[in-house]
Amino acid sequence: QAAAGASGPAAMATASAAGLGFVVGDRVVITKAKNNLLNHKEVYKVGEHGTIVHTAEGSSVVRVRLDGHSGKHGNFHVTESVLPLVQRPVQHRIVDVSILHLTKQNDAKPGDFAVFASEDGVEEVVGRVRRVLKDDDEEGPAVLDVQPYSTKRWESQHPLHQKRWRPCGEPRTLSASAARTFVHMHDGQRLRACDVHEVRSKALLTEHDKNPMYQSSLEWLSGAPRPRSLALQGVTSCPRTLALESLSPEAALHFTPRATERLEWRSAYYPRWRPNNL
């Protein structure tokens, strides 16, 4: 498969995603279609776009979260019934794609939503790119005209995935290098679940990511892995990854940074070498 469009089988046998410059987080678009009837994760069409979410060392196949097609987002459907035809909309889908079928699209475009942050991390701006004032060149990164977005004060009690983002203030001129991550508002106002995970993994929007009703509760989130069970597995420094893998997508949305701190504290309180106290 990897050698199909290469200059030689030997050359493509050693090709890998990292060797050709593809890394996790790259935005890509599919340039060659594939239709594997035996594996639905190898079915994709030209024009579908998304983000690389996983790469394997020495492999030319990457896992991509497709966010949409034809320049739009979230326009996928799952067919639940044929007669009558019933389709359920979904925000994205996961496929395994050869890097030979992909082209990177990391440059910001008009209409993109992104989280911008200063180098010291003091200022964070969620905004929509209105236009590109200057492209990348030898003199420096691209310059963008950005419309800032913010949430209302009375929504401060809501978790991040429920807050509605609206235009706020005058447009600003920001450097493209300040864009920490690109996101998408699935209904024009709210972050998708996958974008919430992406923002949290990069420690962004922590001031907006609050759920006081849950964080002040003494009860642990239903379905979440218990701190004691994680401590038995030796998870004391970075339990967040294992915890998110154990949760359902709906429950993981409530796993806020404050909840992570509580989990780290409890895991340290119940060390691995004291199983009789668990």
Side-chain angles (χ1 to χ4, degrees):
Q1 172 186 339
S7 58
M12 291 312 302
T14 59
S16 64
L20 295 180
F22 288 88
V23 296
V24 174
D26 279 345
R27 298 198 299 169
V28 294
V29 62
I30 293 178
T31 56
K32 185 176 181 180
K34 183 177 181 180
N35 186 20
N36 186 350
L37 299 180
L38 302 179
N39 187 353
H40 69 278
K41 287 189 176 181
E42 295 183 0
V43 177
Y44 43 84
K45 300 183 297 183
V46 175
E48 293 182 324
H49 56 88
T51 305
I52 296 178
V53 295
H54 177 73
T55 61
E57 184 177 357
S59 175
S60 62
V61 177
V62 296
R63 183 153 295 173
V64 179
R65 183 191 70 230
L66 293 179
D67 298 324
H69 60 87
S70 303
K72 300 180 180 180
H73 288 76
N75 49 352
F76 291 123
H77 296 83
V78 174
T79 301
E80 296 183 339
S81 174
V82 178
L83 289 176
L85 180 62
V86 177
Q87 292 181 325
R88 174 172 53 86
V90 293
Q91 297 177 2
H92 52 77
R93 64 190 187 96
I94 303 297
V95 295
D96 296 326
V97 188
S98 169
I99 56 177
L100 301 177
H101 300 167
L102 298 175
T103 298
K104 288 197 288 187
Q105 278 191 338
N106 286 329
D107 295 337
K109 304 181 298 296
D112 287 343
F113 284 90
V115 180
F116 299 86
S118 58
E119 295 183 359
D120 54 8
V122 174
E123 183 183 15
E124 294 179 343
V125 177
V126 177
R128 180 177 182 272
V129 179
R130 302 173 67 217
R131 54 178 176 164
V132 179
L133 300 178
K134 184 179 78 70
D135 294 327
D136 285 310
D137 52 25
E138 295 79 5
E139 299 179 358
V143 178
L144 309 175
D145 182 16
V146 178
Q147 171 62 58
Y149 276 61
S150 66
T151 59
K152 298 296 183 181
R153 182 176 300 178
W154 52 266
E155 287 189 324
S156 61
Q157 301 294 324
H158 297 172
L160 187 58
H161 68 284
Q162 293 181 359
K163 292 184 176 181
R164 292 183 293 178
W165 296 85
R166 304 174 178 86
C168 176
E170 296 295 327
R172 299 179 56 179
T173 301
L174 300 174
S175 172
S177 61
R180 296 294 181 261
T181 183
F182 289 93
V183 297
H184 176 67
M185 308 294 179
H186 67 90
D187 57 357
Q189 293 183 324
R190 294 180 175 86
L191 292 173
R192 301 173 301 174
C194 58
D195 291 323
V196 172
H197 293 319
E198 182 73 15
V199 166
R200 286 175 177 169
S201 66
K202 297 183 178 180
L204 298 171
L205 302 181
T206 54
E207 289 299 318
H208 297 272
D209 194 8
K210 298 179 180 179
N211 190 355
M213 295 182 60
Y214 167 63
Q215 293 175 3
S216 61
S217 173
L218 297 179
E219 297 296 330
W220 196 251
L221 179 63
S222 175
R226 296 292 173 178
R228 299 180 181 184
S229 63
L230 291 178
L232 284 174
Q233 302 176 44
V235 183
T236 56
S237 59
C238 52
R240 180 177 181 79
T241 301
L242 180 61
L244 288 179
E245 292 177 353
S246 305
L247 289 172
S248 65
E250 293 77 12
L253 290 174
H254 297 279
F255 203 72
T256 61
R258 174 57 179 161
T260 304
E261 295 177 4
R262 294 176 59 197
L263 177 56
E264 292 175 351
W265 183 87
R266 293 191 183 188
S267 298
Y269 184 75
Y270 298 106
R272 185 178 184 182
W273 48 268
R274 295 180 60 187
N276 293 334
N277 295 336
L278 302 181

